[in-house]
């Protein structure tokens, strides 16, 4: 991760409600409609050799219902006959049966190690589809969901190795050529992993481009593979196709091709030749001293040094700057000096503006220097950290401020994945450019608010759930806090049987469903039509947030769950349920 910018997520205070009082259970009836399916959903059970947590997350908890965000209230699923079935809703009281829009050409039952069929809507007219056997289809669909004459046409159909599911895809035009880029997710056996689960996870990033011959045929342009040790919670390609964002518990790295390895070996040889530090630096509480060894022919007139409050630039003989960049902290630039010592070395003195502040690095991101510390500084640092370590666990729990009070945590607050991170990969260099350590900000779900943008992801922040919209084209505002679901982080933690979570694209409600029957809906606070008093505090309550519960008339497990601004779609093996949450305008 060297060279990556370490960022943080900035919550908007205006979107937080510290006075939120909780959800009130509402008994208002929810209109629920159900459609019997002509054929069962093509569910694929986990095999005996798919026994890890990653297999369960990727395939066992797969959402078999696909929402087409480009068109309103439009959902798809694949049935056991390999038919892609569509339901487009305009009026709940006049529901049509799901209709077939496409049929997979292959016999799904013929493949022993197949996964579930998967699809993603790359644009308003393009669909990427996998049959679960390792074959990828690019389909030109035209306008979807509204007319019975809708025809899906295959423009690319190729075997891409072992079975995978489509995680994400985008359609874009670059250099007058149309391309689709797709992320394929696999969980593969890892013979080298003897201590872990024995599997690793790969994300293959495939770019398919229209041929220049003008025959409207498409061919693979690039194939790149990332590998990690956990199934990503979130993996999405930027709309321009130039980068990739991944939220995962364990890091992903690009696997190199042989030519890349040779280039890197050459770079490593060069770097080994230059392993001596470019400069050495020392610090006290008040100042920083930098020492640079100069070439023999350099005189005082050849040296140009520019000091500014947050920046330094050192140039020799009008060449490329020897040292340049932002300092770790501000300096009093008018008091900074430099001299040439007798041993032909350049000594630069910087006066710290914030006295007592210890700098972990001199120039941000510059690893060419070496910090020299005297023994007294080392012992001082060790002493300052002494209170954080002990021979025994929680040595004095009775004292006023114990190191840890486990009683403040509830059982439902505990979750395993403390090490999750959000990384942005560059498509050209294949390196991480931005990284955010999510720490205790537990990943909850993702949702498409605007199909032309990347999917949003929802994270737990304290008790709340905050929704973040990535903006790959805005480096200063790459992750924007766009909505808050009050106390949802805490509420969902207590739902032990939850399977899927979702929210409306207009943020009007969030919802979660259990493995069987029950659906919980959490509305945003709305103003009250009547006067309501808080008896404890003797004050009037202006608005209230409602929780609603729907129980489905089904004994089959829930296989799919999607939310739109007006309704929830819930898919079981043989039935598709529609729950009317909001009335249309």
């Amino acid at each position: 991760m060297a060279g990556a910018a370490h960022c943080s997520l900035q919550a908007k205070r205006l979107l937080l409600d510290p006075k939120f009082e909780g959800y009130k259970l509402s008994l208002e009836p929810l209109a629920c409609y159900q459609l019997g399916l002509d054929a069962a959903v093509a569910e694929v059970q986990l095999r005996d050799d798919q026994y890890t947590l990653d297999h369960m997350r990727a395939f066992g908890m797969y959402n078999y219902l696909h929402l087409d965000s480009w068109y309103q209230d439009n959902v798809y699923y694949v049935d056991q006959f390999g038919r892609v079935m569509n339901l487009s809703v305009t009026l709940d009281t006049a529901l049509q049966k799901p209709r077939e829009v496409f049929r997979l050409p292959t016999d799904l039952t013929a493949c022993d190690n197949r996964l579930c069929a998967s699809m993603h809507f790359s644009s308003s007219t393009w669909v990427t589809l996998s049959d679960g056997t390792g074959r990828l289809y690019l389909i030109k669909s035209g306008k979807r969901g509204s007319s019975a004459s809708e025809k899906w046409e295959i423009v690319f159909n190729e075997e891409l190795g072992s079975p995978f599911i489509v995680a994400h895809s985008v359609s874009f035009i670059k250099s007058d050529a149309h391309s689709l880029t797709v992320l394929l997710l696999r969980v593969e056996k890892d013979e080298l992993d003897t201590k872990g689960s024995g599997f690793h996870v790969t994300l293959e990033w495939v770019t398919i481009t229209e041929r220049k011959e003008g025959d409207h045929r498409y061919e693979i342009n690039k194939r790149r593979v990332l590998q990690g040790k956990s199934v990503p919670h979130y993996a999405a390609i930027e709309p321009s196709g130039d980068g990739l964002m991944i939220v995962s518990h364990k890091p992903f790295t690009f696997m190199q091709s042989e030519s890349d390895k040779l280039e890197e070996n050459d770079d490593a040889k060069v770097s080994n030749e230059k392993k001596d530090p470019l400069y050495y630096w020392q610090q006290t509480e008040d100042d920083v001293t930098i020492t640079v060894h100069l070439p023999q022919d350099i005189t005082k007139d050849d040296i140009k040094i520019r000091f500014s409050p947050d920046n330094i630039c050192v140039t020799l003989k009008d060449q490329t700057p020897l040292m340049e960049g932002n300092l770790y902290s501000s300096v009093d630039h008018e008091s900074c000096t430099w001299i040439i010592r007798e041993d032909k070395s350049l000594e630069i003195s910087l006066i710290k503006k914030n006295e007592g502040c210890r700098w972990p690095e001199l120039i941000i991101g510059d690893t060419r220097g070496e910090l020299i510390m005297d023994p007294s500084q080392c012992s001082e640092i060790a002493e300052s950290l002494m209170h954080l370590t002990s021979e025994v666990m929680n040595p004095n729990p009775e004292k006023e401020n114990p190191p840890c009070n486990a009683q403040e945590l509830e059982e439902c607050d505990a979750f395993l994945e403390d090490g999750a991170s959000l990384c942005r990969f560059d498509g050209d260099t294949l390196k991480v450019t931005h990284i955010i350590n999510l720490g205790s900000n537990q990943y909850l779900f993702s949702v498409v608010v605007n199909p032309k943008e990347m999917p949003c992801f929802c994270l737990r922040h304290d008790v709340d759930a905050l929704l973040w919209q990535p903006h790959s084209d805005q480096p200063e505002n790459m992750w924007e806090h766009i909505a808050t679901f009050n106390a949802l982080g805490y509420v969902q933690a207590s739902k032990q049987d939850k399977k899927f979570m979702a929210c409306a694209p207009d943020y009007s409600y969030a919802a979660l469903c259990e493995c069987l029957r029950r659906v919980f809906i959490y509305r945003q606070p709305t103003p009250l039509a009547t006067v309501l008093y808080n008896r404890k505090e003797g004050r009037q309550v202006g608005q209230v947030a409602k929780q609603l519960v729907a129980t489905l008339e089904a004994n089959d497990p829930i296989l799919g769950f999607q939310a739109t601004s007006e309704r929830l779609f819930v898919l079981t093996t043989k039935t598709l349920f529609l729950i009317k949450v909001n009335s249309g305008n």
Side-chain angles (χ1 to χ4, degrees):
M1 305 289 175
H6 286 259
C7 310
S8 59
L9 297 171
Q10 303 295 327
K12 292 181 183 173
R13 292 182 66 185
L14 290 173
L15 294 179
L16 302 175
D17 181 6
K19 295 182 179 175
F20 181 73
E21 295 185 338
Y23 292 96
K24 306 287 182 281
L25 181 63
S26 171
L27 299 177
E28 67 181 76
L30 284 166
C32 183
Y33 307 90
Q34 66 183 76
L35 287 168
L37 309 183
D38 290 338
V41 176
E43 182 188 3
V44 178
Q45 302 285 351
L46 291 180
R47 303 187 305 272
D48 290 344
D49 60 347
Q50 295 175 317
Y51 51 81
T52 68
L53 181 60
D54 287 321
H55 285 106
M56 175 55 76
R57 280 195 170 143
F59 315 128
M61 299 286 281
Y62 186 73
N63 194 337
Y64 284 84
L65 190 61
H66 307 276
L67 179 68
D68 185 353
S69 303
W70 299 90
Y71 300 94
Q72 200 171 356
D73 292 281
N74 207 25
V75 292
Y76 293 80
Y77 65 91
V78 180
D79 72 14
Q80 62 187 18
F81 298 124
R83 300 181 300 173
V84 177
M85 307 296 284
N86 163 246
L87 177 70
S88 185
V89 182
T90 45
L91 261 177
D92 297 277
T93 50
L95 290 175
Q96 306 289 321
K97 277 265 189 187
R99 62 193 179 89
E100 179 184 339
V101 292
F102 181 75
R103 190 176 293 230
L104 288 164
T106 49
D107 176 14
L108 298 186
T109 54
C111 179
D112 291 336
N113 65 335
R114 74 183 177 98
L115 301 173
C116 46
S118 55
M119 69 176 83
H120 189 265
F121 302 96
S122 318
S123 76
S124 58
T125 54
W126 287 90
V127 183
T128 48
L129 180 64
S130 159
D131 60 8
T133 68
R135 186 170 285 278
L136 179 70
Y137 298 89
L138 291 193
I139 294 168
K140 195 171 185 177
S141 65
K143 197 168 183 297
R144 296 188 293 269
S146 56
S147 73
S149 60
E150 177 182 337
K151 187 170 184 332
W152 288 21
E153 176 197 348
I154 299 173
V155 295
F156 176 90
N157 165 15
E158 204 164 303
E159 190 80 39
L160 295 181
S162 58
F164 56 82
I165 57 171
V166 176
H168 190 246
S169 65
V170 294
S171 164
F172 60 91
I173 292 173
K174 196 174 278 185
S175 309
D176 295 329
H178 176 240
S179 294
L180 284 112
T181 184
V182 193
L183 269 185
L184 313 176
L185 174 69
R186 296 180 176 97
V187 179
E188 298 180 323
K189 198 95 177 112
D190 189 342
E191 303 296 341
L192 301 174
D193 182 11
T194 53
K195 292 183 179 176
S197 67
F199 292 87
H200 62 237
V201 178
T202 62
L203 279 170
E204 186 173 3
W205 186 2
V206 183
T207 303
I208 299 158
T209 307
E210 188 174 11
R211 288 170 29 150
K212 290 178 180 170
E213 283 79 359
D215 54 5
H216 301 296
R217 288 177 64 189
Y218 285 72
E219 60 188 8
I220 292 176
N221 182 17
K222 273 186 195 168
R223 289 181 77 166
R224 293 151 287 183
V225 177
L226 292 112
Q227 189 173 302
K229 294 299 289 183
S230 67
V231 168
H233 299 297
Y234 171 98
I237 305 162
E238 295 172 358
S240 62
D242 293 332
L244 181 67
M245 291 186 196
I246 297 175
V247 176
S248 62
H249 173 40
K250 292 180 180 170
F252 274 78
T253 50
F254 273 98
M255 302 305 292
Q256 297 173 317
S257 63
E258 288 304 313
S259 58
D260 291 337
K261 282 182 184 172
L262 290 171
E263 278 179 34
E264 188 156 292
N265 287 339
D266 292 342
D267 292 343
K269 283 176 190 169
V270 172
S271 63
N272 284 339
E273 287 164 15
K274 300 178 183 175
K275 62 184 174 189
D276 286 340
L278 180 68
Y279 58 86
Y280 296 88
W281 63 288
Q282 294 173 286
Q283 62 177 320
T284 66
E285 292 193 348
D286 310 313
D287 58 37
V288 175
T289 305
I290 308 163
T291 305
V292 184
H293 292 292
L294 297 172
Q296 289 296 322
D297 57 338
I298 294 293
T299 65
K300 191 175 182 181
D301 297 332
D302 296 327
I303 301 170
K304 287 183 183 170
I305 301 182
R306 189 179 75 247
F307 298 111
S308 66
D310 301 300
N311 195 286
I312 187 172
C313 181
V314 180
T315 311
L316 305 180
K317 281 189 172 178
D318 296 324
Q319 295 172 353
T320 308
L322 187 71
M323 292 169 60
E324 184 179 25
N326 291 327
L327 296 165
Y328 175 77
S329 187
S330 300
V331 295
D332 181 358
H333 65 291
E334 292 178 351
S335 304
C336 296
T337 58
W338 62 274
I339 58 166
I340 296 180
R341 292 170 52 177
E342 291 176 8
D343 61 354
K344 287 291 285 179
S345 64
L346 171 65
E347 188 177 281
I348 303 167
S349 297
L350 307 177
I351 309 301
K352 293 180 180 179
K353 219 168 207 175
N354 305 319
E355 292 180 9
C357 169
R358 197 177 297 280
W359 294 14
E361 59 182 338
L362 178 67
I363 296 171
I364 295 171
D366 189 349
T367 55
R368 298 172 300 163
E370 184 179 308
L371 170 63
I372 298 173
M373 295 173 70
D374 61 49
S376 64
Q377 284 179 320
C378 293
S379 59
E380 195 181 307
I381 291 171
E383 203 170 306
S384 69
L385 298 174
M386 191 75 77
H387 71 287
L388 299 175
T389 61
S390 172
E391 295 297 320
V392 289
M393 190 76 170
N394 206 357
N396 191 358
E398 301 303 320
K399 71 176 186 180
E400 200 171 317
N401 293 312
C404 171
N405 182 359
Q407 291 176 344
E408 290 178 3
L409 292 173
E410 296 187 27
E411 192 179 338
C412 66
D413 286 316
F415 67 101
L416 299 170
E417 304 194 326
D418 292 332
S421 62
L422 164 59
C423 295
R424 191 254 172 197
F425 290 86
D426 183 86
D428 292 326
T429 64
L430 307 185
K431 288 191 166 55
V432 177
T433 59
H434 300 75
I435 183 168
I436 295 175
N437 178 15
L438 297 179
S440 59
N441 299 131
Q442 180 188 5
Y443 175 88
L444 299 177
F445 62 90
S446 65
V447 61
V448 176
V449 169
N450 175 359
K452 292 180 181 174
E453 295 253 23
M454 297 179 76
C456 303
F457 52 86
C458 190
L459 303 176
R460 179 175 177 174
H461 287 246
D462 196 17
V463 297
D464 295 334
L466 272 55
L467 198 62
W468 299 90
Q469 173 67 68
H471 299 294
S472 56
D473 55 345
Q474 299 175 30
E476 300 80 28
N477 185 33
M478 197 169 273
W479 295 281
E480 183 189 2
H481 174 202
I482 56 170
T484 301
F485 297 103
N486 298 298
L488 185 67
Y490 181 78
V491 168
Q492 63 81 33
S494 65
K495 299 284 184 276
Q496 296 293 315
D497 294 329
K498 72 171 179 292
K499 186 168 185 182
F500 299 118
M501 287 185 76
C503 76
D506 62 1
Y507 333 127
S508 57
Y509 69 90
L512 62 89
C513 72
E514 294 184 338
C515 298
L516 209 62
R517 289 197 196 93
R518 287 203 299 177
V519 176
F520 298 87
I521 298 162
Y522 302 92
R523 292 191 192 276
Q524 292 283 19
T526 49
L528 289 165
T530 55
V531 177
L532 183 69
Y533 278 92
N534 182 321
R535 287 183 189 171
K536 268 189 185 175
E537 299 178 19
R539 59 181 177 79
Q540 188 174 329
V541 177
Q543 53 182 19
V544 68
K546 292 179 181 175
Q547 173 192 336
L548 299 99
V549 182
T551 304
L552 306 176
E553 293 177 16
N555 295 320
D556 296 319
I558 293 174
L559 297 180
F561 189 68
Q562 296 289 354
T564 67
S565 298
E566 285 186 37
R567 46 183 75 83
L568 275 168
F569 294 86
V570 188
L571 182 70
T572 68
T573 313
K574 296 171 189 160
T575 315
L576 180 56
F577 293 88
L578 280 75
I579 301 171
K580 186 80 168 176
V581 182
N582 294 323
S583 55
N585 296 330

